[in-house]
Amino acid sequence: MFGFWISSLILSLLWGLLAGYIATRIMGEKSGTLKNMILGVLGSVVGHFLFGLIGFTATGWIGSLIVSTVGACICIWLGRKLA
């Protein structure tokens, strides 16, 4: 059971890194790997929450990646507005 949790965590971080990387390229942000990963993981949470509010759910890895990337773009946009 512990091994499954570790592999899920690693997979989530890799998805977060990929979503954060894609979002920073879309938004023209120049940032490091750690910031990309944080934006991707946070963006995943934000994206799934916002898409859930309007009644959409992501299925499959492509849907999840799209929702995470959109959420990361929203986080970048909000970060720019607050800074």
Side-chain angles (χ1 to χ4, degrees):
M1 176 142 172
F2 184 70
F4 177 75
W5 183 82
I6 293 292
S7 62
S8 295
L9 178 65
I10 291 171
L11 213 71
S12 294
L13 291 176
L14 288 174
W15 279 119
L17 178 63
L18 182 59
Y21 175 79
I22 293 170
T24 55
R25 297 298 170 241
I26 290 171
M27 300 295 288
E29 187 81 11
K30 296 189 184 339
S31 60
T33 305
L34 182 62
K35 186 176 178 184
N36 287 349
M37 189 178 294
I38 291 169
L39 282 172
V41 173
L42 181 63
S44 178
V45 172
V46 169
H48 285 284
F49 175 75
L50 291 176
F51 275 77
L53 284 177
I54 59 176
F56 291 113
T57 57
T59 56
W61 65 273
I62 293 176
S64 182
L65 183 62
I66 291 170
V67 168
S68 298
T69 303
V70 169
C73 287
I74 291 169
C75 288
I76 291 171
W77 179 78
L78 282 173
R80 287 179 180 171
K81 292 297 177 186
L82 295 175

